[in-house]
Each structure stands twice: as C-alpha cells, then as structure tokens.
C-alpha cells in the first residue's frame, strides 16, 4: 500500500518505508527531522516540468500527462519502486508541496496503481 504525505508533517510509525520523491531536498528541512528512508530523486518531476506546472491546479491534467511521459522513460525507477512495494507492506511517498492534491507524489502513486505495480 502506498500513501502520500508532506515531508514537513511529523513522521509516524504508520508511514512504513518513507521515500522522498522530490528532485530537490525540501527547503529548510533537516535530514534527521525528515526521517527519510530513501531519497529517490529520479522519481521527481524534471526541473523544467516543475517550473512549467508551478503548482497551478488548472494545469494538473497536463502535468500528469507530461510527468507520466517522463516516468515512462525511467523503467529503472519504476522497477525499483515495484521491488520496494513487494518488500514493504506500507510505503509513504513524501513531497514538499503545500498542495496535498496536486503534486508529483500523488501523480506517481496514481501512475503505479494504474499500471498495477502496487
């Protein structure tokens, strides 16, 4: 099972294996406080896509399409996430955005679920 959570929220035992799926380390976050088990930079959206999106909910559908296109070119990332999902009963994708509905962690989770990876 995969869930999503802001990296700035307090970690808890229910998070399971915590994966930061951001290309950049979250601003102002100390590594100890983040309690990240794995920082998977390559799962994050490209800098150009992040800038284009700008967390504008009106661009969400197009962002997801473009992000999925980026992910399709990274089979090693998808394979790694599939292996982690088999190994850990609970995985939490961590993201830095203030918007909890429109971010790459949510899109990544949906993508993996649609592909039957998790």
């Amino acid at each position: 099972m995969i869930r999503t959570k802001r990296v700035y929220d307090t970690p808890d035992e229910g998070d399971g294996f915590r994966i930061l799926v951001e290309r950049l380390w979250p601003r102002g976050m100390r590594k100890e406080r983040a309690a990240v088990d794995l920082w998977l930079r390559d799962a994050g959206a490209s800098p150009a896509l992040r800038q284009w999106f700008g967390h504008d909910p009106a661009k969400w559908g197009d962002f997801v399409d473009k992000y999925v296109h980026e992910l399709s070119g990274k089979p090693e990332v998808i394979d790694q996430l599939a292996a982690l999902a088999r190994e850990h009963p609970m995985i939490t994708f961590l993201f830095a955005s203030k918007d909890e509905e429109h971010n790459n962690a949510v899109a990544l989770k949906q993508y993996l679920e649609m592909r039957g990876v998790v």
Side-chain angles (χ1 to χ4, degrees), residues 26-61:
R27 188 174 294 156
M29 174 59 65
R30 289 189 346 262
K31 291 189 181 194
E32 304 80 36
R33 183 169 169 253
V36 170
D37 295 305
L38 175 65
W39 180 13
L40 193 55
R41 293 178 184 116
D42 289 339
S46 68
L49 182 55
R50 278 193 349 267
Q51 280 187 322
W52 171 82
F53 177 46
H55 298 287
D56 180 354
K59 295 180 179 178
W60 176 245

Side-chain angles (χ1 to χ4, degrees), residues 15-19 37-38 84 88 90-93:
D15 291 343
F17 193 76
R18 294 168 52 91
I19 304 173
D37 295 305
L38 175 65
L84 289 166
H88 302 279
M90 173 62 76
I91 291 176
T92 299
F93 287 161

Side-chain angles (χ1 to χ4, degrees), residues 78-108:
I78 303 308
D79 291 346
Q80 184 176 4
L81 289 170
L84 289 166
R86 288 189 298 272
E87 184 179 339
H88 302 279
M90 173 62 76
I91 291 176
T92 299
F93 287 161
L94 301 170
F95 60 92
S97 172
K98 291 180 184 177
D99 187 337
E100 297 188 15
E101 295 178 32
H102 306 101
N103 61 69
N104 66 294
V106 169
L108 179 59

